[in-house]
């Protein structure tokens, strides 16, 4: 966790400290969702001690939304969500992409206090900056690829109703070669179809076409080629240079 993320997470515990849980949670108790014993365990466990696995039970079992008790429950858990995401331990059996999907139903930007809204935006900004430094590699049959796919963070922001334009601007302002490496790598995830150039993500299909197109337009700008070319000569690792070279558009 970067110092900036640590500061924001600590601030989240302060900003959302006024929310408390009652004796029950608004969750589904069907055979595929949360047991009543798990619900009791989640309620009695101190917030900072809730494991990723236990919070994932809430993520995957809390389906409803209202602007009263459910919104309060979500905001109670939100600092721990942020902390686990910052530690790369997402509390969701599906991973990072839709971990905060319930916020997409919240209308939080219009309904929640400005201090909460500003903190959420700041978290997404800091998570993006931290993610750009992740340049560890994995060997695939097609060659070396980044182990971390930035699509996950972008999809997280979109499905949580975050400000995608703001997050893309943060990416664009990042001066490290890592920003260009991720631009090159993500170009491999672009699809061209029906006059569209868009980021391919199963979680963005149909319901988030506009955002997928925004990312496609961002990555295909001529200035991205220039950034990739500059980064190629700043980086000495030939494996990363290959990713940059493959990401150049003619």
């Amino acid at each position: 966790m970067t110092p900036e993320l640590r500061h924001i997470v600590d601030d989240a515990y302060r900003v959302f400290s006024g929310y408390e849980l009652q004796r029950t949670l608004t969750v589904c108790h069907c055979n595929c969702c949360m047991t009543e014993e798990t619900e009791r365990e989640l309620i009695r466990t101190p917030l900072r001690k809730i494991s990723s696995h236990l919070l994932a039970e809430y993520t995957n079992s809390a389906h409803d939304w209202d602007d009263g008790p459910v919104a309060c429950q979500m905001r109670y858990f939100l600092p721990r969500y942020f902390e686990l995401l910052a530690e790369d331990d997402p509390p969701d059996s599906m991973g990072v992409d839709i971990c905060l999907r319930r916020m997409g139903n919240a209308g939080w930007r219009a309904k929640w206090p400005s201090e909460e809204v500003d903190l959420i935006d700041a978290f997404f900004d800091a998570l993006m900056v931290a993610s750009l430094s992740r340049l560890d590699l994995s060997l695939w049959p097609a060659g070396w690829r980044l182990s971390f796919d930035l699509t996950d963070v972008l999809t997280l922001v979109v499905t949580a109703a975050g400000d995608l334009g703001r997050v893309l601007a943060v990416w664009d302002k990042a001066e490290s070669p890592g920003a260009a490496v991720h631009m090159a790598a993500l170009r491999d995830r672009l699809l061209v179809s029906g006059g569209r150039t868009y980021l391919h993500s199963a979680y963005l299909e149909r319901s988030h076409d506009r955002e997928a197109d925004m990312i496609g337009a961002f990555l295909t700008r001529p200035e991205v080629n220039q950034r990739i070319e500059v980064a190629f000569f700043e980086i000495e690792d030939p494996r990363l240079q290959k990713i940059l070279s493959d990401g150049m558009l003619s």
Side-chain angles (χ1 to χ4, degrees):
M1 189 186 306
T2 64
E4 184 179 9
L5 275 173
R6 179 75 267 170
H7 173 76
I8 291 170
V9 167
D10 289 342
D11 208 26
Y13 278 107
R14 177 189 63 80
V15 169
F16 292 98
S17 62
Y19 299 98
E20 298 179 351
L21 298 182
Q22 303 303 313
R23 297 178 62 184
T24 60
L25 297 173
T26 306
V27 293
C28 177
H29 289 301
C30 75
N31 292 335
C32 298
C33 290
M34 187 184 293
T35 66
E36 293 183 359
E37 173 54 34
T38 298
E39 179 184 8
R40 289 191 289 270
E41 181 183 0
L42 190 57
I43 291 172
R44 67 173 175 257
T45 303
L47 181 59
R48 292 176 183 262
K49 299 291 186 180
I50 294 175
S51 68
S52 175
H53 174 75
L54 183 57
L55 190 54
E57 291 291 320
Y58 178 78
T59 306
N60 300 324
S61 303
H63 308 310
D64 296 330
W65 186 267
D66 62 47
D67 291 326
V70 177
C72 290
Q73 291 169 18
M74 183 65 192
R75 282 184 277 187
Y76 169 82
F77 289 121
L78 199 55
R80 188 58 177 155
Y81 272 100
F82 286 174
E83 187 168 28
L84 290 169
L85 283 165
E87 293 174 347
D88 195 25
D89 190 14
D92 190 340
S93 60
M94 302 297 288
V96 174
D97 307 66
I98 54 174
C99 186
L100 296 175
R101 59 190 176 275
R102 296 186 70 235
M103 288 178 59
N105 300 320
W108 53 269
R109 190 172 299 281
K111 298 177 181 178
W112 294 8
S114 59
E115 188 178 24
E116 296 177 3
V117 172
D118 292 344
L119 191 141
I120 294 168
D121 280 335
F123 174 77
F124 288 144
D125 291 351
L127 185 63
M128 169 57 79
V129 172
S131 299
L132 296 176
S133 66
R134 299 183 62 172
L135 299 180
D136 45 311
L137 294 158
S138 298
L139 183 59
W140 290 69
W144 291 99
R145 296 291 184 269
L146 292 179
S147 300
F148 180 76
D149 188 349
L150 202 66
T151 301
D152 296 350
V153 173
L154 294 171
T155 305
L156 173 76
V157 172
V158 171
T159 55
D163 188 339
L164 176 62
R166 172 174 170 147
V167 170
L168 292 177
V170 168
W171 186 4
D172 211 25
K173 291 177 182 177
E175 297 181 357
S176 68
V181 173
H182 281 283
M183 288 174 179
L186 229 61
R187 278 180 164 182
D188 192 48
R189 295 289 301 268
L190 297 183
L191 293 180
V192 179
S193 176
R196 297 175 56 209
T197 299
Y198 61 96
L199 178 72
H200 172 64
S201 168
Y203 299 114
L204 299 183
E205 290 181 358
R206 293 183 296 277
S207 57
H208 296 291
D209 284 352
R210 184 183 70 85
E211 290 84 357
D213 290 351
M214 280 180 62
I215 299 169
F218 174 84
L219 290 171
T220 53
R221 297 170 300 150
E223 52 266 40
V224 174
N225 267 6
Q226 299 169 9
R227 294 196 62 172
I228 291 173
E229 184 176 1
V230 170
F232 182 91
F233 293 103
E234 292 178 338
I235 289 178
E236 296 181 356
D237 190 327
R239 300 170 300 175
L240 292 175
Q241 287 180 326
K242 181 65 164 57
I243 291 174
L244 288 163
S245 179
D246 289 346
M248 290 289 288
L249 296 178
S250 57

